[in-house]
Amino acid sequence: MRIDIISAVPDLLESPLSHSIIKRARDKGLVEIHVVNLHDYGKGNYKQIDDYGFGGDAGMVIKPEPLYKAITDLTSQRDYDHVIYTSPDGEVLSQGLCNSLSTARNIIILCGHYKGIDHRIREHLITKEISIGSYVLSGGELAAAVICDSIIRLIPGVLTDETSALSDSFQDGLLAPPVYTRPADFMGWKVPEVLLSGNPRLIQQWQEAQAVERTRRLRPDLLEDPEDIK
Ligand code: ADE
């Protein structure tokens, strides 16, 4: 998979995309991530990318020209499955959406900007708008990092134990069961007896029951609307 991220603040993406599982995926060649600095497409000596919004609303809006140039520079080189814009207006990211995005070959993610981008770009060049939740971030970079992380870990070969993505919360529509490690008794706080039993059938039954109980108690909405995660 190749992901091109267009951002006015590329430094914000540096650390989240250079460590841990994403780093490993990049090192193994399972994902290629390129960050495009929108200012490279800005106008004049100051590389201007924004301007006052029409209609008297205070605040700067990203101009259409640099966005158009940055996006078409990429789309003229290869086909993209999705040209995503991160925005609180978009479809809320779910495990189902992550699963579907993880099968793409090439993706562009255009990071939103606090006062927005010229709407014509959204109408004509963006194919999908994604929100990471019903709250407002200062910019789309953190949302882009969340989208990258949640889809890259689903690419086959990225996680060392392939079953570990399958046992994630949400993959089967339920929250994950609790996990424990040694010591079995920590200051009198004990690991559930069944996990020490060595009986795989009993352990699996316990884990399934825990997943259902936790989902019912903590996220009953998931049981009512499984479409949210499919
Ligand atoms: N930009 C600002 N807020 C956002 C959100 N909640 N999701 C995605 N992009 C955003």
Side-chain angles (χ1 to χ4, degrees):
M1 176 187 285
R2 176 184 168 118
I3 304 176
D4 290 276
I5 306 176
I6 304 172
S7 163
V9 199
D11 286 353
L12 276 175
L13 290 158
E14 184 60 38
S15 178
L17 301 179
S18 315
H19 299 282
S20 185
I21 286 173
I22 298 189
K23 176 180 183 330
R24 210 165 60 214
R26 294 178 85 170
D27 290 348
K28 281 191 194 167
L30 295 168
V31 66
E32 234 182 273
I33 304 175
H34 300 266
V35 179
V36 176
N37 186 344
L38 190 59
H39 289 93
D40 291 346
Y41 294 89
K43 201 172 152 194
N45 288 344
Y46 294 104
K47 298 286 176 197
Q48 188 190 354
I49 57 165
D50 55 6
D51 208 336
Y52 293 101
F54 282 125
D57 234 5
M60 305 296 271
V61 174
I62 306 265
K63 295 165 71 62
E65 297 94 329
L67 293 166
Y68 182 87
K69 284 188 202 148
I71 293 172
T72 55
D73 212 4
L74 293 169
T75 54
S76 67
Q77 293 174 56
R78 66 194 66 77
D79 288 334
Y80 284 88
D81 303 274
H82 308 284
V83 183
I84 295 168
Y85 176 58
T86 59
S87 158
D89 307 359
E91 177 180 349
V92 177
L93 190 64
S94 63
Q95 194 60 46
L97 182 51
C98 296
N99 289 344
S100 135
L101 294 174
S102 72
T103 64
R105 277 180 60 76
N106 300 316
I107 294 177
I108 293 175
I109 305 178
L110 170 62
C111 299
H113 188 253
Y114 57 98
K115 264 295 165 186
I117 63 169
D118 190 285
H119 200 72
R120 290 165 288 187
I121 296 296
R122 293 169 70 172
E123 285 174 329
H124 295 284
L125 296 183
I126 297 298
T127 62
K128 201 168 203 47
E129 301 204 349
I130 297 180
S131 162
I132 62 160
S134 301
Y135 45 82
V136 178
L137 300 166
S138 310
E141 283 73 15
L142 297 180
V146 167
I147 295 168
C148 287
D149 188 295
S150 59
I151 64 178
I152 289 169
R153 63 199 306 286
L154 298 173
I155 298 171
V158 168
L159 296 182
T160 40
D161 176 1
E162 289 246 333
T163 58
S164 59
L166 295 176
S167 62
D168 281 349
S169 281
F170 302 121
Q171 275 306 3
D172 55 3
L174 297 172
L175 300 183
V179 293
Y180 300 87
T181 185
R182 278 173 288 213
D185 183 338
F186 174 65
M187 300 193 315
W189 301 342
K190 297 205 170 74
V191 168
E193 203 63 46
V194 61
L195 295 179
L196 311 175
S197 70
N199 182 330
R201 194 179 50 84
L202 280 185
I203 292 173
Q204 195 184 340
Q205 274 173 5
W206 179 85
Q207 287 171 330
E208 284 167 7
Q210 284 286 316
V212 171
E213 188 280 321
R214 286 173 63 76
T215 309
R216 203 167 273 146
R217 182 161 48 86
L218 301 171
R219 292 293 306 276
D221 55 303
L222 295 180
L223 297 172
E224 280 153 29
D225 189 9
E227 275 311 300
D228 197 32
I229 40 181
K230 291 263 159 55

